[in-house]
Amino acid sequence: MIARLRSAAEEAASRAYAPYSNFHVGAALLFDDGAVITGCNVENVSYGLTSCAERNALFRAISESGAGRKIMAVAVANQNHAPSPPCGACRQVLAEFAQPDAMVFFQDGEGMTAISFAELFPLRFTLEGR
């Protein structure tokens, strides 16, 4: 399954729109029903409007099947082979749907790192009572 997720993330990276940074990123999310949904980064000339691969994959999954599924694993890949853990914004958005023990796989400069979501993002923002 890990190889399938990595391959899906790499394929998604090949479709990224990154004319400004030339940093093509892909993400693959494995859900509790076995579905694998991918996304890629989409840049904008106004950098703040750029959307990361991880969030695009999640938003695609929700738009296709609703918000009832849970993320069991995440793989992130980029064509530059640079370290690329999910950014802070992606971590917070993924936290809504990721199981604490969901594994996150990403390039670390020397290969792939595997870490649980809870280790990657130990303190997420929550609203009191939610």
Side-chain angles (χ1 to χ4, degrees), residues 7 25 34 72 92 101 130:
S7 178
V25 181
M72 305 307 290
Q92 181 62 49
D101 62 346
R130 300 244 341 134

Side-chain angles (χ1 to χ4, degrees), residues 40-116:
C40 61
N41 61 316
V42 178
E43 293 184 348
N44 186 274
V45 69
S46 174
Y47 281 115
L49 299 178
T50 292
S51 186
C52 297
E54 299 90 331
R55 283 181 280 156
N56 284 338
L58 180 59
F59 299 158
R60 177 180 168 209
I62 292 169
S63 70
E64 290 178 0
S65 299
R69 300 185 292 185
K70 294 294 180 186
I71 298 170
M72 305 307 290
V74 177
V76 182
N78 68 75
Q79 293 184 331
N80 303 66
H81 307 291
S84 60
C87 73
C90 287
R91 293 175 196 197
Q92 181 62 49
V93 172
L94 291 171
E96 294 271 331
F97 301 93
Q99 297 290 8
D101 62 346
M103 292 306 296
V104 182
F105 304 92
F106 58 90
Q107 291 167 261
D108 67 5
E110 296 178 18
M112 293 296 280
T113 291
I115 187 171
S116 74

